[in-house]
Amino acid sequence: MMRFKKVGFPLFIFLIVYWMVAIFLIVFLLSFGIALIFHLKNGNEFYFDFFKESTYSLSKAIPGGGILGGGIWIKAKLQERKDSIK
C-alpha cells in the first residue's frame, strides 16, 4: 500500500478512487452472487446482464466513493491540523 507523508491532494484522489472501486466491486459481486444463487436454487437459465449491473454498480459507487473518500480525507486533515497545533 502507498504511504503518504502528509494529507494532501494525492491522498484525496487516492481515497476517492479507492472507495469507488471498493463499493463498485461490493455491489457488483453481490448482485452477481444473488443471480447465481437464484440460478442454482431454481435451475432456471442464468440471467445476469453485465452491462446493466455494471452501470447500476457504478451509479452507486461514484457518489458513495466520493462522499466516503472525501469524508475520510477531511477527518485526516482535521487530525493532522490538531496534531500540528500540539
Side-chain angles (χ1 to χ4, degrees):
M1 179 137 176
M2 296 176 56
R3 297 279 182 190
F4 292 94
K5 304 284 186 222
K6 63 178 188 166
V7 181
F9 189 69
L11 179 63
F12 179 71
I13 296 299
F14 173 77
L15 285 171
I16 289 177
V17 171
Y18 178 84
W19 285 108
M20 280 183 188
V21 170
I23 292 172
F24 174 82
L25 287 174
I26 290 168
V27 172
F28 185 80
L29 291 175
L30 280 174
S31 60
F32 182 76
I34 291 169
L36 186 63
I37 288 171
F38 274 106
H39 168 69
L40 294 174
K41 188 166 178 88
N42 296 336
N44 296 339
E45 179 182 334
F46 183 69
Y47 177 74
F48 187 77
D49 187 2
F50 282 93
F51 181 75
K52 180 182 170 188
E53 294 300 328
S54 296
T55 56
Y56 175 76
S57 299
L58 198 59
S59 73
K60 302 304 176 198
I62 290 174
I67 291 170
L68 186 59
I72 292 172
W73 182 81
I74 289 171
K75 183 180 180 323
K77 189 71 170 173
L78 290 172
Q79 186 67 40
E80 181 185 58
R81 183 180 293 170
K82 180 182 173 185
D83 292 343
S84 69
I85 292 173
K86 287 185 177 181

